[in-house]
Amino acid sequence: MKITWNYYYGIIYKLSSLTGIWPYLEPRARLLRVSLLSATLLTIFVPQIAQQFTCEKDLQCMFESITSCILTSVALVKVYSFQLNISKIKIFTEHLFNDWKELETAEEYEVMKSYADYCRRFSLIYSVYCFMAVCVFMSVSIVPPILDIIRPLNESRPVLMPYPGYYFVDNREYFIYIFGHSLVAWEIIMASIVAHDCLFVTYIEHICSKFAVVGLRFKYLYCDHGQTVENINIDSGDMYRKKVAFFVHTHREALKFAQILERTFTVPFALELICVVLGMSSTLLQITKESDLLEITRYVLYVIGQLIHLFCLSFEGQKLIDHSLQMRDRIYNSFWYKAPVKSQKLLILVMIQSLRPTCLSAGKIYIFSLQSFTTILQTSMSYFTVLSSFQ
């Protein structure tokens, strides 16, 4: 089990431990890392607020700084949503350990392993993309100084800040220090966002794997090595009825796990969703108003990052809905008609429960699904149109 955990969940463990959201960290270590992360957020948030006061009612300048503030706010919500629910997070993580021990066959192990392998690949690709995106976003600001050296003009090119912020010093003179602080601070902040998203996706994938394993058990309940059990005597009927009762209990555990996860994160996700909508709308507004090609490039990268972040959450929500609804199909396609009447009644209870999809929500209003993802895009475009009318 230790080898399995290290292989499939090693990246998630390292990221979450580094940012202080791993539930099994010692309290002193967690406090130190969260405090460091909070201080880093503060060093970014103060220049962003100061930038608002320097705009002097310039709407374009204000929207530009708001776009940056929104990402900081999202990171703040993600970090403290885990910290405020650390006891529940520990329960979720214990499920990841214990459910591997309850697997009965090699086929069930392969099913669970496929979902864990998806988590590993997602964590690797998502983290590499996010960290590289921050480097690219920040590196755009050093293009003007480089061009001043390679292709100098009669006067120096305007300073392009790594992000909209006012540091209370001369930007040109202290640019290298501002750039260094911005790059390191934003990489730390991005690490907290990546750790939150990867750990959350791991929980969702684990719930989906439990649904898949239970569905597999129902499928082969009345089969012996792939062959249908034609005759079930009274003694074996009791045995099968106990198995059905155990599978029903496992299914209810998966449902309960999903419901607790949804209740834990519904409010934080509502706040994040508001930030995403406002962030995309204001960023699109900046793209249409900006004339500098480098600035446009940065904002386009920012919009793409927001879309990928929202799509990942919507895709996982859709996956959870599909797996919860597929349970009734697994039971219907099994040899349920070979079962005793008492066992069939238990199967009906599971099928009735599977008629109601298990889903993730933001504020009990927005349901994370692919259909809702398109709705958010339309809403963002609508707000963008409204904001454009004020320019």
Side-chain angles (χ1 to χ4, degrees):
M1 176 58 200
K2 185 177 180 180
I3 298 176
T4 301
W5 174 264
N6 290 335
Y7 178 76
Y8 292 115
Y9 305 113
I11 299 174
I12 300 168
Y13 165 72
K14 292 176 182 177
L15 285 172
S16 56
S17 297
L18 182 64
T19 55
I21 66 175
W22 184 249
Y24 296 106
L25 284 176
E26 293 184 1
R28 184 176 299 179
R30 179 183 297 111
L31 179 61
L32 177 62
R33 296 174 190 184
V34 174
S35 299
L36 177 61
L37 184 58
S38 301
T40 304
L41 284 167
L42 188 62
T43 62
I44 292 292
F45 198 63
V46 170
Q48 290 174 339
I49 297 299
Q51 179 70 15
Q52 289 282 345
F53 289 98
T54 62
C55 289
E56 297 180 353
K57 299 182 180 179
D58 184 355
L59 290 181
Q60 184 171 352
C61 175
M62 294 175 64
F63 280 123
E64 183 179 359
S65 55
I66 287 174
T67 301
S68 178
C69 288
I70 286 174
L71 183 59
T72 312
S73 302
V74 169
L76 192 66
V77 171
K78 286 181 179 293
V79 169
Y80 285 99
S81 63
F82 264 74
Q83 296 303 320
L84 296 175
N85 298 281
I86 197 67
S87 59
K88 294 181 180 179
I89 300 302
K90 186 175 292 187
I91 295 175
F92 299 153
T93 311
E94 286 176 356
H95 275 273
L96 265 66
F97 286 109
N98 298 330
D99 290 339
W100 283 86
K101 302 175 184 177
E102 298 178 358
L103 301 179
E104 299 177 350
T105 64
E107 190 172 1
E108 292 178 3
Y109 181 83
E110 290 298 322
V111 170
M112 188 77 78
K113 189 172 70 173
S114 65
Y115 286 88
D117 190 55
Y118 173 84
C119 295
R120 178 177 176 271
R121 286 184 280 108
F122 174 84
S123 301
L124 180 62
I125 296 173
Y126 188 72
S127 57
V128 170
Y129 164 77
C130 289
F131 292 135
M132 290 298 297
V134 171
C135 290
V136 172
F137 187 90
M138 295 295 170
S139 299
V140 173
S141 62
I142 65 175
V143 173
I146 294 176
L147 290 178
D148 286 338
I149 298 174
I150 299 175
R151 299 177 60 184
L153 300 176
N154 294 331
E155 58 182 13
S156 298
R157 292 175 173 83
V159 176
L160 181 60
M161 294 293 289
Y163 72 98
Y166 179 64
Y167 277 81
F168 306 96
V169 294
D170 183 78
N171 293 336
R172 186 178 300 277
E173 182 179 357
Y174 293 91
F175 176 79
I176 188 65
Y177 302 103
I178 295 174
F179 176 78
H181 166 263
S182 302
L183 183 61
V184 174
W186 277 109
E187 288 289 5
I188 294 175
I189 293 173
M190 187 55 64
S192 67
I193 296 177
V194 171
H196 173 282
D197 292 344
C198 290
L199 196 55
F200 184 79
V201 168
T202 300
Y203 293 147
I204 298 300
E205 287 295 323
H206 184 67
I207 296 173
C208 292
S209 68
K210 291 193 69 170
F211 281 129
V213 168
V214 174
L216 187 68
R217 290 174 178 176
F218 278 123
K219 180 180 179 180
Y220 295 114
L221 177 61
Y222 302 103
C223 296
D224 185 13
H225 301 290
Q227 301 297 324
T228 308
V229 178
E230 297 294 340
N231 297 314
I232 301 178
N233 56 38
I234 297 177
D235 295 333
S236 62
D238 292 336
M239 179 189 67
Y240 283 116
R241 188 163 59 253
K242 291 179 181 179
K243 281 188 174 182
V244 172
F246 174 72
F247 296 164
V248 170
H249 175 71
T250 307
H251 179 250
R252 287 184 175 178
E253 276 192 344
L255 292 175
K256 182 180 179 181
F257 185 42
Q259 291 169 358
I260 295 175
L261 192 67
E262 194 271 339
R263 288 197 301 266
T264 302
F265 291 97
T266 183
V267 175
F269 276 141
L271 298 176
E272 291 179 31
L273 193 63
I274 294 173
C275 292
V276 167
V277 172
L278 295 178
M280 289 185 62
S281 302
S282 57
T283 305
L284 291 173
L285 182 64
Q286 291 301 312
I287 293 175
T288 58
K289 300 299 180 181
E290 193 63 54
S291 57
D292 189 355
L293 181 60
L294 293 177
E295 286 281 12
I296 293 176
T297 302
R298 292 209 301 181
Y299 285 125
V300 170
L301 292 175
Y302 187 49
V303 170
I304 293 174
Q306 290 174 317
L307 290 175
I308 292 176
H309 172 257
L310 183 59
F311 176 79
C312 289
L313 295 179
S314 301
F315 179 77
E316 291 300 319
Q318 183 67 54
K319 198 170 184 179
L320 181 60
I321 292 174
D322 294 340
H323 276 71
S324 63
L325 294 177
Q326 287 172 1
M327 186 63 62
R328 65 176 186 266
D329 298 329
R330 292 290 185 92
I331 297 175
Y332 183 78
N333 292 328
S334 68
F335 296 97
W336 56 268
Y337 45 86
K338 300 290 184 180
V341 177
K342 292 184 178 180
S343 297
Q344 292 181 9
K345 292 180 179 179
L346 292 175
L347 294 177
I348 291 175
L349 294 177
V350 178
M351 294 183 70
I352 292 175
Q353 184 67 47
S354 300
L355 293 175
R356 297 189 295 270
T358 303
C359 57
L360 300 172
S361 69
K364 303 293 184 179
I365 299 175
Y366 175 85
I367 303 299
F368 283 100
S369 64
L370 295 181
Q371 182 179 0
S372 300
F373 174 72
T374 59
T375 303
I376 285 296
L377 296 184
Q378 294 173 355
T379 304
S380 300
M381 291 301 298
S382 300
Y383 282 113
F384 159 66
T385 305
V386 173
L387 292 175
S388 300
S389 63
F390 289 101
Q391 296 292 315

